[in-house]
Amino acid sequence: MKRSTDRLLALAMLIVGIACIARLYPVLGGKPLATTRLEVFGVTGALSVLAGLLFLAGLLPAAARHDPAAPLFGRDAEIAPAGHPWLRRAALALPLLALLAIVGDQFGPWRTQDSEPVNRVATAPVEPKLAPEPEVSAKPTMPGASARPTTPTPAQQEAAKPAPPVQPAVAPAPPIPPTPAVVAPVEPGPVQPAPPVQQTALAPATPQTVAPPPPAPAARPTAPEGHRDAVVWLAVSADGREIMSASTDRMIKLWDIDGKRLIRDLGEHKDMARVALFMPGGKTALTAGDDGEIVLRQLADGTVLHVFASGQNGGVRDLAISSDGKLAVSGHDTGSVIVWDLAKGQVLHVLPGHDWSVSSVAVSPDGTRAISGSIDGELKLWDIAAGRQLRSWHGHDRGAYGAVFTADGHHAVTGSGDYTIKLWDLDTFKEVRRFDGHSGTVYALALSSDGKRLGSVSLDGTARIWNMDTGAEIAEFDPGTGPIYSVAFAADGTLLTGGIDRTIRDWPAAGGDGKVLFAGAPE
């Protein structure tokens, strides 16, 4: 029984001792004790822990113990005192002293002076701080000003393409370059003057210096008759004297190259205009857009002669016509390819072969076959007279754009969202040559009249001319104006381009600086 009591006392000593040391712990860590009372506090706790350990180990003498030779029961039984009682009393007093120290520390009169032990370390006085000077903006804000918003570019649309588990990941529909959006203007109102700042300076204030604003970029040339948004298509007339352009501003325009002037606005689509083609004979044009309409127009005055409506097949993403002008092939955002009989003004075949939006089409020189590409990189070859698919193959890792046939009709060239340009043998469906160099989606291609040079434009903002026989790059052009969407060769062999900056530029065939042929409209 006594031994159990000793162990309980030892446990109480340990608890009290640990509590004392825990109270002291925050001021330890290699630093001197904060106050004298904490020093005593720590020593008391340490002694309590020591006494408790000694009790547990049985090293301190017990109050009394049984004599092994004495009987346990009966009259002769006796308790024989042993040990040193004063040592035991001293050990038992240690927890009481520790408890008194805790009570004194928590509720003593000094508690109101500092509620927690702190290190009494002298610190340098803090210098008073000057009141901050009011900041001056280098660019004042004008009421009612707003930035011109843009719609997603073709590169951003491709980045968001779906990736189903059973179907290859694809880019979304080909570019819809920036279209102006309506932004609610900020209502101008009286400007309240800022309240004066009272400032007490302890020392002369250092004047603030503001770096001069960077020089404004050189103003781009503009013309009131120019396109109001990105130029996404260019076509040159058979005689080389006129250019037809289509834009995301929905307008089709006809230009005089030699006279460097706008001949007329041929007409406007209900949605973004995508394609504008000269018909054989040079008197009419065929245009198409996202409104799903293919419109036959008269070049002389823009009169609409016929409208081919694609209906549920959706917007027209690309359009090509046969060399004799009898057939046209259109690719749609629903994945359909439609063959049109232009002479009869009706649909000849609807070919629902693509799983994703069609991004390019081209018709062979003899008018018997067509190639189409979609935004998942799939390429298909069609017999357009019979309305049947001849072959399908995965040509690119991302969308296929700008398809063109070579003069022999047995080869085709395609650009892509995987930044490559590939030359295909349409008899073996093998890749013959690759043109590498662009760092963005290759969006449009054009062949020179002799078939020896290939022109390409890209969302990386550059245009390039390639040697068709070797795949070598002949020239690179970088106007520094952003993505370029359209390309064509002029009659003299120079390269024409149109892009997001709304201008039509002319680049020398051998390389060098280009010039703005037709400027865009002011913003």
Side-chain angles (χ1 to χ4, degrees), residues 177-195:
T179 302
V182 178
V183 178
V186 179
E187 292 292 337
V191 179
Q192 298 296 333

Side-chain angles (χ1 to χ4, degrees), residues 65-87:
R65 61 181 176 84
H66 290 288
D67 185 353
L72 297 177
F73 303 101
R75 187 175 57 182
D76 295 332
E78 62 179 15
I79 301 294
H84 301 280
W86 64 269
L87 186 58

